[in-house]
PDB file of all heavy atoms in Angstrom:
ATOM      1  N   SER A  40       0.988  20.837   3.471  1.00  0.00           N
ATOM      2  CA  SER A  40       1.364  22.237   3.316  1.00  0.00           C
ATOM      3  C   SER A  40       1.465  22.846   4.701  1.00  0.00           C
ATOM      4  O   SER A  40       0.694  22.515   5.601  1.00  0.00           O
ATOM      5  CB  SER A  40       0.325  22.995   2.475  1.00  0.00           C
ATOM      6  OG  SER A  40      -0.941  22.978   3.101  1.00  0.00           O
ATOM      7  N   GLY A  41       2.463  23.716   4.879  1.00  0.00           N
ATOM      8  CA  GLY A  41       2.703  24.273   6.201  1.00  0.00           C
ATOM      9  C   GLY A  41       3.454  23.292   7.087  1.00  0.00           C
ATOM     10  O   GLY A  41       3.783  22.177   6.675  1.00  0.00           O
ATOM     11  N   ALA A  42       3.707  23.708   8.304  1.00  0.00           N
ATOM     12  CA  ALA A  42       4.461  22.868   9.242  1.00  0.00           C
ATOM     13  C   ALA A  42       3.509  21.951   9.999  1.00  0.00           C
ATOM     14  O   ALA A  42       2.561  22.407  10.637  1.00  0.00           O
ATOM     15  CB  ALA A  42       5.222  23.749  10.226  1.00  0.00           C
ATOM     16  N   ILE A  43       3.785  20.619   9.896  1.00  0.00           N
ATOM     17  CA  ILE A  43       2.974  19.626  10.607  1.00  0.00           C
ATOM     18  C   ILE A  43       3.946  18.683  11.313  1.00  0.00           C
ATOM     19  O   ILE A  43       4.682  17.932  10.660  1.00  0.00           O
ATOM     20  CB  ILE A  43       2.070  18.832   9.652  1.00  0.00           C
ATOM     21  CG1 ILE A  43       1.230  19.775   8.787  1.00  0.00           C
ATOM     22  CG2 ILE A  43       1.166  17.892  10.447  1.00  0.00           C
ATOM     23  CD1 ILE A  43       0.418  19.070   7.726  1.00  0.00           C
ATOM     24  N   ALA A  44       3.954  18.711  12.615  1.00  0.00           N
ATOM     25  CA  ALA A  44       4.919  17.923  13.386  1.00  0.00           C
ATOM     26  C   ALA A  44       4.705  16.426  13.177  1.00  0.00           C
ATOM     27  O   ALA A  44       3.592  15.916  13.329  1.00  0.00           O
ATOM     28  CB  ALA A  44       4.788  18.260  14.873  1.00  0.00           C
ATOM     29  N   GLY A  45       5.792  15.740  12.792  1.00  0.00           N
ATOM     30  CA  GLY A  45       5.767  14.285  12.696  1.00  0.00           C
ATOM     31  C   GLY A  45       5.043  13.716  11.497  1.00  0.00           C
ATOM     32  O   GLY A  45       4.798  12.506  11.446  1.00  0.00           O
ATOM     33  N   ILE A  46       4.714  14.542  10.508  1.00  0.00           N
ATOM     34  CA  ILE A  46       3.977  14.075   9.333  1.00  0.00           C
ATOM     35  C   ILE A  46       4.708  14.499   8.064  1.00  0.00           C
ATOM     36  O   ILE A  46       5.088  15.658   7.913  1.00  0.00           O
ATOM     37  CB  ILE A  46       2.545  14.637   9.309  1.00  0.00           C
ATOM     38  CG1 ILE A  46       1.739  14.085  10.479  1.00  0.00           C
ATOM     39  CG2 ILE A  46       1.853  14.315   7.995  1.00  0.00           C
ATOM     40  CD1 ILE A  46       1.451  12.608  10.398  1.00  0.00           C
ATOM     41  N   GLU A  47       4.883  13.535   7.150  1.00  0.00           N
ATOM     42  CA  GLU A  47       5.513  13.808   5.861  1.00  0.00           C
ATOM     43  C   GLU A  47       4.737  13.097   4.766  1.00  0.00           C
ATOM     44  O   GLU A  47       4.031  12.119   5.035  1.00  0.00           O
ATOM     45  CB  GLU A  47       6.973  13.334   5.855  1.00  0.00           C
ATOM     46  CG  GLU A  47       7.876  14.061   6.827  1.00  0.00           C
ATOM     47  CD  GLU A  47       9.314  13.561   6.744  1.00  0.00           C
ATOM     48  OE1 GLU A  47       9.561  12.639   5.936  1.00  0.00           O
ATOM     49  OE2 GLU A  47      10.161  14.091   7.476  1.00  0.00           O
ATOM     50  N   PRO A  48       4.868  13.565   3.507  1.00  0.00           N
ATOM     51  CA  PRO A  48       4.240  12.838   2.404  1.00  0.00           C
ATOM     52  C   PRO A  48       4.685  11.380   2.364  1.00  0.00           C
ATOM     53  O   PRO A  48       5.836  11.052   2.650  1.00  0.00           O
ATOM     54  CB  PRO A  48       4.721  13.605   1.162  1.00  0.00           C
ATOM     55  CG  PRO A  48       4.945  14.999   1.666  1.00  0.00           C
ATOM     56  CD  PRO A  48       5.497  14.825   3.056  1.00  0.00           C
ATOM     57  N   LEU A  49       3.748  10.499   2.039  1.00  0.00           N
ATOM     58  CA  LEU A  49       3.900   9.050   1.940  1.00  0.00           C
ATOM     59  C   LEU A  49       3.971   8.344   3.293  1.00  0.00           C
ATOM     60  O   LEU A  49       4.204   7.148   3.345  1.00  0.00           O
ATOM     61  CB  LEU A  49       5.114   8.650   1.082  1.00  0.00           C
ATOM     62  CG  LEU A  49       5.118   9.150  -0.365  1.00  0.00           C
ATOM     63  CD1 LEU A  49       6.308   8.568  -1.122  1.00  0.00           C
ATOM     64  CD2 LEU A  49       3.822   8.779  -1.072  1.00  0.00           C
ATOM     65  N   ASP A  50       3.723   9.073   4.381  1.00  0.00           N
ATOM     66  CA  ASP A  50       3.606   8.407   5.679  1.00  0.00           C
ATOM     67  C   ASP A  50       2.329   7.565   5.690  1.00  0.00           C
ATOM     68  O   ASP A  50       1.270   7.999   5.218  1.00  0.00           O
ATOM     69  CB  ASP A  50       3.518   9.431   6.815  1.00  0.00           C
ATOM     70  CG  ASP A  50       4.873   9.973   7.226  1.00  0.00           C
ATOM     71  OD1 ASP A  50       5.899   9.462   6.725  1.00  0.00           O
ATOM     72  OD2 ASP A  50       4.920  10.904   8.053  1.00  0.00           O
ATOM     73  N   LEU A  51       2.431   6.356   6.262  1.00  0.00           N
ATOM     74  CA  LEU A  51       1.265   5.507   6.455  1.00  0.00           C
ATOM     75  C   LEU A  51       0.696   5.759   7.843  1.00  0.00           C
ATOM     76  O   LEU A  51       1.441   5.917   8.811  1.00  0.00           O
ATOM     77  CB  LEU A  51       1.650   4.030   6.302  1.00  0.00           C
ATOM     78  CG  LEU A  51       2.087   3.604   4.897  1.00  0.00           C
ATOM     79  CD1 LEU A  51       2.611   2.178   4.922  1.00  0.00           C
ATOM     80  CD2 LEU A  51       0.942   3.734   3.907  1.00  0.00           C
ATOM     81  N   LEU A  52      -0.621   5.779   7.944  1.00  0.00           N
ATOM     82  CA  LEU A  52      -1.289   6.114   9.199  1.00  0.00           C
ATOM     83  C   LEU A  52      -2.240   4.998   9.619  1.00  0.00           C
ATOM     84  O   LEU A  52      -2.876   4.361   8.776  1.00  0.00           O
ATOM     85  CB  LEU A  52      -2.080   7.416   9.044  1.00  0.00           C
ATOM     86  CG  LEU A  52      -1.293   8.639   8.548  1.00  0.00           C
ATOM     87  CD1 LEU A  52      -2.244   9.806   8.325  1.00  0.00           C
ATOM     88  CD2 LEU A  52      -0.193   9.014   9.534  1.00  0.00           C
ATOM     89  N   ARG A  53      -2.332   4.795  10.936  1.00  0.00           N
ATOM     90  CA  ARG A  53      -3.239   3.802  11.491  1.00  0.00           C
ATOM     91  C   ARG A  53      -4.451   4.483  12.109  1.00  0.00           C
ATOM     92  O   ARG A  53      -4.399   5.646  12.492  1.00  0.00           O
ATOM     93  CB  ARG A  53      -2.522   2.965  12.555  1.00  0.00           C
ATOM     94  CG  ARG A  53      -1.356   2.172  12.008  1.00  0.00           C
ATOM     95  CD  ARG A  53      -0.674   1.409  13.102  1.00  0.00           C
ATOM     96  NE  ARG A  53       0.453   0.635  12.596  1.00  0.00           N
ATOM     97  CZ  ARG A  53       1.217  -0.143  13.335  1.00  0.00           C
ATOM     98  NH1 ARG A  53       0.978  -0.259  14.634  1.00  0.00           N
ATOM     99  NH2 ARG A  53       2.210  -0.829  12.793  1.00  0.00           N
ATOM    100  N   ALA A  54      -5.529   3.731  12.211  1.00  0.00           N
ATOM    101  CA  ALA A  54      -6.743   4.253  12.832  1.00  0.00           C
ATOM    102  C   ALA A  54      -6.452   4.651  14.274  1.00  0.00           C
ATOM    103  O   ALA A  54      -5.742   3.956  14.996  1.00  0.00           O
ATOM    104  CB  ALA A  54      -7.846   3.208  12.784  1.00  0.00           C
TER     105      ALA A  54
END
Side-chain angles (χ1 to χ4, degrees):
S40 61
I43 307 174
I46 294 292
E47 296 181 359
L49 301 185
D50 279 353
L51 293 173
L52 305 175
R53 298 178 180 181

